[in-house]
Amino acid sequence: MNATSAEIASQPDIWARAVAERSADARRALAAPGERMLILGCGTSWFVAESIAELRESAGLGETDAVCASEYRPRRHYDRVVAVTRSGTSTEVLAALRQVPTGTHQAAASTHQAAASTHQAAASTHQAAASTHQAAASTHQAAAS
């Protein structure tokens, strides 16, 4: 099995673990109703950020923008800035976070944790019933598109 196949095969367990271990923290950071939110990411994490932004706005939780961290310019006011990152060490994400105006609430979330929790919050708002695996799979597919 090559590295890509191994990564794909690992997804159901990773999603289940992320939801079980971190969903409450991520839900608090991502589902705060009425907040104007910016979600940053790079590479695949940027695609996840775009998916989260769409899910969050569709759920009526508030205006949400997604920006590639390397393109971030602090021009707009946000109540909260969330960095979605796989490793937590991306230089672009760290540089973008240093530019966030003082007083803006900041949060960091792993790619899997953020996507799974936001999808759960959106599904709850829409009163949809989905299993954790289905929620994670649909968010992962949206991020990969």
Side-chain angles (χ1 to χ4, degrees), residues 9 12 35 41 47 61 66 75 85 94 100 104 115 124 127 133-134:
E35 284 191 338
F47 300 128
L61 295 172
R75 294 186 184 118
T85 174
L94 296 174
V100 172
T104 304
S124 173
Q127 297 170 345
H133 179 71
Q134 289 170 328

Side-chain angles (χ1 to χ4, degrees), residues 10-101:
S10 73
Q11 292 303 299
D13 290 337
I14 289 171
W15 282 100
R17 194 170 65 241
V19 169
E21 294 173 5
R22 303 298 304 227
S23 63
D25 294 338
R27 188 174 297 119
R28 276 192 298 278
L30 297 169
E35 284 191 338
R36 189 159 194 272
M37 186 177 294
L38 171 65
I39 306 175
L40 299 168
C42 279
T44 302
S45 295
W46 179 32
F47 300 128
V48 171
E50 290 180 313
S51 297
I52 292 168
E54 178 61 31
L55 289 168
R56 189 174 184 279
E57 276 200 20
S58 295
L61 295 172
E63 187 175 321
T64 310
D65 295 327
V67 174
C68 181
S70 61
E71 303 300 317
Y72 172 66
R73 304 294 178 265
R75 294 186 184 118
R76 296 184 179 168
H77 168 75
Y78 294 99
D79 300 307
R80 183 180 305 254
V81 174
V82 175
V84 178
T85 174
R86 192 168 174 84
S87 67
T89 61
S90 302
T91 57
E92 296 90 345
V93 171
L94 296 174
L97 289 173
R98 283 192 291 274
Q99 295 181 61
V100 172

Side-chain angles (χ1 to χ4, degrees), residues 11-13 15-16 19 55 115-120 123 128-143:
Q11 292 303 299
D13 290 337
W15 282 100
V19 169
L55 289 168
S117 296
T118 302
H119 194 278
Q120 286 180 340
S131 71
T132 299
H133 179 71
Q134 289 170 328
S138 66
T139 304
H140 184 70
Q141 287 172 342

